[in-house]
Amino acid sequence: MPSLKTLRLRIKSVKNTRQITKTMKMVAAAKVRRARAAVESARPYAARLGAILGNIAANAAGDAPLLLRGRETVQTVRLIVCGSDRGLCGGLNSNLLKAAAKWVRDQEAQGRTVQLVAVGRKIRDGLKSTHGSQLVASHTDLGRQVEFAHAQAIAKEALESFEAGVADEVHLLSAELVSMLSQTPKHTQLIPFAVAAGEAAASSTEFEPSEEAVLADLLPRNLNLQVFSALLETQASEQAARMTAMDSATRNAGEMIKKLSVQYNRSRQAAITKELIEIISGAEAV
């Protein structure tokens, strides 16, 4: 049985840990509100731009941009996996890594070569240990707040790899903030632009100079926006997952303190009883 001193030290240590997790929960709660507001502000613009592009692309005729029509043969595919730089956010990063591993297996089953790009230190470290030979690039230390410049750098690298023929398709795996308690992996095809089923519709809109020219200009912009939206969603998901994880850790620490306190009190009472018995026994012997 642990000594009273050991129990006191353990109780003190757990109390300090509980204070840290409680503080981290409060910080994450403040950050997730700002991150969620940024996500909700970006969603309407991204959805509207995607709908416009989908309508134009579905009705495009003639020489459509390569970003739209894609290559006839797909041999090499690239997956950009967006995660977090920091840990202590529940199973967010591990779920993304599991989804990435499943996607890699599916692509390899089709005979394709897979390239991986990591966004976030935790994702980079995870992919290094499992798919190190397929990791071609990484982006880490994005800072406390996601900037549009970060998305532009990632999108530029993806576009250059496609135009150079290094990758025939580029996909994106990120976290989607379903609710404060639920964050799920979300897959998006970045290049070529995927037209949703049923997107084609009769349109009397005329474009100047042409639909192809409009697409050639808007498709790269949409690429930046999709990456930026994914980064915002992932950041909001990270803070929501951290808040939930720290809340659970705080409650667990409280339960541990109760159990240790009960054990400490029982040990203390047993020690006092033992001392009293020894005193009484000694007095009787005299």
Side-chain angles (χ1 to χ4, degrees), residues 10-30:
R10 287 185 64 185
I11 291 172
K12 182 179 179 181
S13 176
V14 176
K15 284 183 176 179
N16 291 338
T17 302
R18 182 177 64 175
Q19 186 61 42
I20 292 171
T21 56
K22 184 177 180 180
T23 303
M24 291 182 68
K25 173 193 170 184
M26 295 172 62
V27 172

Side-chain angles (χ1 to χ4, degrees), residues 31-280:
K31 288 183 176 180
V32 76
R33 284 194 291 270
R34 294 194 296 268
R36 192 172 186 176
V39 168
E40 292 174 350
S41 298
R43 277 176 178 172
Y45 181 76
R48 184 58 179 163
L49 180 58
I52 292 172
L53 277 174
N55 184 268
I56 298 173
N59 294 283
D63 296 329
L66 186 61
L67 274 175
L68 175 61
R69 67 177 188 270
R71 293 191 171 91
E72 294 182 1
T73 304
V74 178
Q75 293 293 337
T76 305
V77 290
R78 176 172 292 198
L79 178 66
I80 303 171
V81 187
C82 298
S84 68
D85 280 325
R86 299 168 58 206
L88 297 177
C89 51
L92 178 71
N93 290 305
S94 60
N95 289 338
L96 288 168
L97 289 170
K98 289 177 183 177
K102 182 179 183 302
W103 187 88
V104 169
R105 290 194 300 269
D106 293 342
Q107 295 300 314
E108 289 178 337
Q110 300 177 44
R112 295 175 175 176
T113 302
V114 177
Q115 300 173 347
L116 296 172
V117 176
V119 180
R121 282 200 303 270
K122 293 299 179 180
I123 293 296
R124 180 200 61 190
D125 296 342
L127 291 178
K128 266 188 177 180
S129 63
T130 57
H131 301 82
S133 61
Q134 296 169 308
L135 186 63
V136 297
S138 62
H139 301 266
T140 58
D141 300 319
L142 300 185
R144 296 179 179 272
Q145 185 64 37
V146 173
E147 302 290 344
F148 192 69
H150 300 143
Q152 286 179 310
I154 297 170
K156 180 182 178 183
E157 181 183 77
L159 183 58
E160 288 176 347
S161 69
F162 176 74
E163 292 177 339
V166 177
D168 299 317
E169 281 185 1
V170 180
H171 298 253
L172 179 67
L173 183 65
S174 59
E176 182 180 18
L177 182 64
V178 179
S179 69
M180 297 299 290
L181 299 176
S182 176
Q183 306 84 35
T184 59
K186 178 183 178 181
H187 171 267
T188 306
Q189 180 175 307
L190 286 181
I191 303 174
F193 177 76
V195 180
E199 199 65 67
S203 175
S204 59
T205 305
E206 295 184 2
F207 295 90
E208 181 65 32
S210 65
E211 291 182 354
E212 290 73 20
V214 173
L215 284 172
D217 182 72
L218 287 185
L219 284 171
R221 296 174 185 265
N222 181 64
L223 185 62
N224 293 332
L225 183 59
Q226 286 193 71
V227 175
F228 184 56
S229 297
L231 292 179
L232 288 176
E233 288 268 5
T234 301
Q235 185 183 59
S237 298
E238 175 192 354
Q239 298 302 334
R242 180 170 291 114
M243 184 184 73
T244 302
M246 293 301 100
D247 179 61
S248 177
T250 302
R251 290 200 305 271
N252 291 339
E255 292 297 324
M256 184 176 292
I257 290 170
K258 289 181 181 178
K259 292 179 181 178
L260 289 173
S261 297
V262 170
Q263 187 178 358
Y264 174 81
N265 290 332
R266 287 178 178 174
S267 298
R268 184 168 175 269
Q269 289 172 358
I272 293 172
T273 302
K274 182 179 179 182
E275 290 179 1
L276 288 175
I277 292 174
E278 290 176 352
I279 293 171
I280 294 172

